[in-house]
Amino acid sequence: MGAALRDDNFGADTQTVSFDAARHAAAALARPLDRSEDVPIALAAGRVLAAAIEAPSALPPFDQAAMDGYAVCLSGRKGVPVVLPMGGRTNAGDAPGVLRPGTAHRVMTGAALPTGADAVVMQEHVARRGDLLHFDLPIEPGAHIRRSGEDVVRGAAVIEPGRMIGWADIAVLAALGVRTVRVACPLRIAVVTTGSELRDGGEPLPAGAIYDSNGPMLAALLAGPNTHIVSLSVRDEVNAIADALQTQAGAVDLVITTAGMSVGDADHVRDAVGRAGGRLDIVKVAMKPGKPLAFGMIGEAYFAGLPGNPQAAAYGALAFVRPMTRRLLGQAPAKRVTARTAFAASRKPDRTELLPVSLSVEHGRLTARRSGPDGSHRMMPMVSADAVAVVPGASTPLEAGTCLEVLPFDQPRLGG
């Protein structure tokens, strides 16, 4: 194992940093991994694009009829009525026809516009008698024509790197004939829960033991097409934790631990990081819940040490780990989401508080309501919540109607 870090990096007097400073430091620590792979577009939904896609052709690829009707050439003709014989027909999928002078050409929606035509008249506005067509409405040049390239110009950048590919992107790519796209390889994440009291669900539960909830919770919170997650539990023994950290750091991009980040007799994660040859840049954050929270590196792997209480672990993942994963995947930071509070709360000037809230739209504004009582050990407030409200420290109480940042549990599409 690597040499242990200096004691002053891990001691009880280690400096506490502000919530905002910790967020900035965690994001700055992470660097895009720049690993990519090609996947078929049918499997690309939810993946992060790694290389810009330029349109190999225009959309529409040719001038098209936008309606079932008749293609005509006005050539300066004005006024009504106009009577023309029908001189041809083009269905969708046919090669472009030619509009003979002095005639109208039958076209169907999506069909190539006949050469020489400058307008399409809807069939509902045409009276047909045999092969003669009577147009009794004014005809505007360019009416009901989809021009080549009016949606996408050939060579234009259609989707930029860092975008999470959605169903609308798939539609455009398919229309352009794109079969595969280059996407960021999934992040490899290890979730290591520490605690001799932990048991897996279904196991017998001895007196004093509890079932591990943080491991499954964090695996679900971070799950998606862009992550591969492994989970394991380790007893409260410094060498066992160090061995697990060193092993996982050699196999994954990001190692996450829960519990053991404080300085109690059974808190061994800081020492274990040192024994595994790692470093910690931050070990305490001025926030509630979740003060004992750390970030650093173990070898080439990034490290995040989260607290053990469920709310503290979850909110640390929302506030710090998710932004780190976005950076590692090459994504831009998520857009900031704010909501008006429908509650008042006390607060302290020296820390940021994270409160579970439920979100709703009231009077045209996103509104946040408290979802349960205080207590970072409580799980039901999270079940009733949609997000966490970020309450900055202040010497005055929080008033109802204050606009606050919220961290949605489910990342909104508007976030990128």
Side-chain angles (χ1 to χ4, degrees):
M1 291 186 182
L5 297 187
R6 295 183 306 167
D7 290 340
D8 58 4
N9 282 341
F10 297 95
D13 59 347
T14 304
Q15 182 181 4
T16 300
V17 301
S18 72
F19 178 78
D20 288 340
R23 293 175 83 180
H24 177 78
L29 174 67
R31 293 286 185 270
L33 296 177
D34 292 329
R35 292 199 315 263
S36 60
E37 61 184 356
D38 293 327
V39 300
I41 63 169
L43 302 177
R47 300 294 297 273
V48 175
L49 190 67
I53 296 177
E54 295 183 354
S57 60
L59 283 182
F62 47 82
D63 290 347
Q64 297 177 344
M67 298 283 183
D68 289 350
Y70 299 89
V72 297
C73 179
L74 298 180
S75 61
R77 190 192 307 268
K78 296 181 179 179
V80 293
V82 175
V83 178
L84 297 172
M86 190 168 76
R89 178 187 181 97
T90 302
N91 293 318
D94 292 345
V98 177
L99 177 66
R100 300 201 304 268
T103 69
H105 193 101
R106 178 68 164 150
V107 289
M108 309 306 289
T109 303
L113 192 71
T115 302
D118 60 10
V120 172
V121 183
M122 296 173 59
Q123 63 185 17
E124 293 87 345
H125 297 158
V126 178
R128 181 173 176 177
R129 299 290 184 271
D131 286 336
L132 291 179
L133 306 167
H134 185 275
F135 302 84
D136 58 1
L137 291 175
I139 304 172
E140 295 293 331
H144 305 306
I145 294 176
R146 302 168 183 162
R147 293 297 182 187
S148 174
E150 70 177 27
D151 190 15
V152 177
V153 177
R154 181 178 181 180
V158 181
I159 310 176
E160 297 291 345
R163 179 178 175 88
M164 186 176 291
I165 300 170
W167 57 265
D169 304 310
I170 299 294
V172 172
L173 296 174
L176 290 168
V178 175
R179 299 184 62 185
T180 62
V181 291
R182 182 160 289 270
V183 298
C185 290
L187 295 181
R188 301 165 300 179
I189 300 175
V191 176
V192 182
T193 54
T194 67
S196 299
E197 76 279 15
L198 298 179
R199 300 293 184 274
D200 291 332
E203 288 187 46
L205 201 63
I210 61 173
Y211 290 121
D212 177 21
S213 61
N214 284 341
M217 175 184 70
L218 292 173
L221 190 155
L222 298 170
N226 298 297
T227 55
H228 287 162
I229 300 173
V230 297
S231 300
L232 64 151
S233 294
V234 184
R235 66 186 184 277
D236 284 322
E237 199 279 313
V238 64
N239 287 326
I241 298 172
D243 287 343
L245 294 182
Q246 190 172 53
T247 298
Q248 295 303 319
V252 302
D253 306 306
L254 171 62
V255 178
I256 302 169
T257 61
T258 66
M261 284 307 309
S262 192
V263 291
D265 292 343
D267 294 320
H268 301 302
V269 173
R270 294 190 193 182
D271 287 340
V273 170
R275 296 191 186 198
R279 76 166 201 266
L280 295 178
D281 297 341
I282 291 175
V283 295
K284 287 192 291 186
V285 181
M287 59 184 285
K288 179 185 176 182
K291 182 178 180 180
L293 190 148
F295 303 100
M297 301 287 295
I298 304 176
E300 297 298 317
Y302 294 91
F303 172 78
L306 302 179
N309 280 324
Q311 284 192 35
Y315 304 164
L318 291 170
F320 301 100
V321 178
R322 265 192 182 170
M324 290 178 68
T325 64
R326 291 183 66 92
R327 287 270 293 174
L328 294 173
L329 288 166
Q331 292 182 280
K335 293 182 179 178
R336 191 171 185 265
V337 180
T338 59
R340 297 283 183 182
T341 60
F343 60 89
S346 61
R347 50 184 174 175
K348 294 186 176 181
D350 58 348
R351 71 185 184 199
T352 296
E353 295 202 34
L354 303 182
L355 303 177
V357 294
S358 60
L359 301 177
S360 61
V361 177
E362 299 178 13
H363 308 294
R365 290 181 173 179
L366 189 63
T367 301
R369 296 183 178 277
R370 288 293 302 269
S371 65
D374 290 335
S376 62
H377 65 290
R378 297 179 185 270
M379 298 188 190
M380 291 309 295
M382 294 192 293
V383 173
S384 303
D386 307 300
V388 174
V390 180
V391 183
S395 57
T396 57
L398 177 75
E399 296 182 354
T402 303
C403 186
L404 293 179
E405 180 184 8
V406 294
L407 307 176
F409 288 177
D410 295 319
Q411 299 183 79
R413 185 70 175 91
L414 292 176

